[in-house]
Each structure stands twice: as C-alpha cells, then as structure tokens.
Amino acid sequence: DVALLASREEITHPWGAVAVIHGQKTPVGDVSGMEKQKLKARKMAAKAGADGLIVAVETFEAGSQFGVYQKQEVYLSALAVKYITDVSSAPKK
C-alpha cells in the first residue's frame, strides 16, 4: 500500500528516496491517461519497497517548431520514498 502524496510536506516521518519515476508525455486534459500512469508508478514504487509516492504533473516544454501547431503535453514525475524506522542521533560505536 503506497500512499500518494502531493508534496514533501505531507511526509511525517524520516525518509529516504528509493526511486525517481517519469511517465510518458500525455496531452493536457487526458485525465484517464494520467490516472493510468499514476497507478503504474504506484505499482513500480511498491515493487521498490516504497511507503509513499510524491506525485507531480509537469508541463513538457516542446522545442521551437516555427509554424507547426503542437498540443500542449504533460508528464508524470514521481519520487518514491521509504520511511526510515531506525533513526538515532547518536553515532554508533
């Protein structure tokens, strides 16, 4: 069960990153396509042993294509995190 998070501020425990996941470019407004990518990213994060997945939808910056119309696209960008359970401020001897 990997929790979907909108930002690092939602994390309440010490953590470490275990994976960075980028999805495919998707047309803006393709809600079902983006939901499929979130589900796939969540499964990948679970396979990596993550406890949470910080998800953001980023805008794809297309290169200059003078005179060619291109639909705006977005992509999923996610950071899989694992909570650290054994945290000590004292150095181990």
Side-chain angles (χ1 to χ4, degrees):
D1 188 33
V2 177
L4 285 178
L5 309 167
S7 71
R8 292 180 183 183
E9 286 76 34
E10 291 185 24
I11 300 174
T12 58
H13 307 297
W15 60 277
V18 293
V20 175
I21 302 167
H22 293 290
Q24 299 173 336
K25 292 184 284 184
T26 305
V28 170
D30 183 0
V31 177
S32 67
M34 190 54 64
E35 288 303 315
K36 286 177 186 175
Q37 287 193 43
K38 286 180 185 178
L39 180 61
K40 185 176 180 180
R42 204 170 182 184
K43 287 179 181 179
M44 291 171 74
K47 221 175 191 178
D51 295 309
L53 186 65
I54 302 169
V55 176
V57 176
E58 306 283 344
T59 303
F60 177 73
E61 296 294 330
S64 176
Q65 302 277 338
F66 185 72
V68 177
Y69 173 75
Q70 291 183 320
K71 288 186 176 183
Q72 189 176 13
E73 296 176 310
V74 293
Y75 66 94
L76 179 107
S77 182
L79 179 67
V81 299
K82 176 79 177 162
Y83 297 134
I84 302 169
T85 56
D86 184 20
V87 178
S88 172
S89 57
K92 294 192 177 195
K93 296 181 180 182

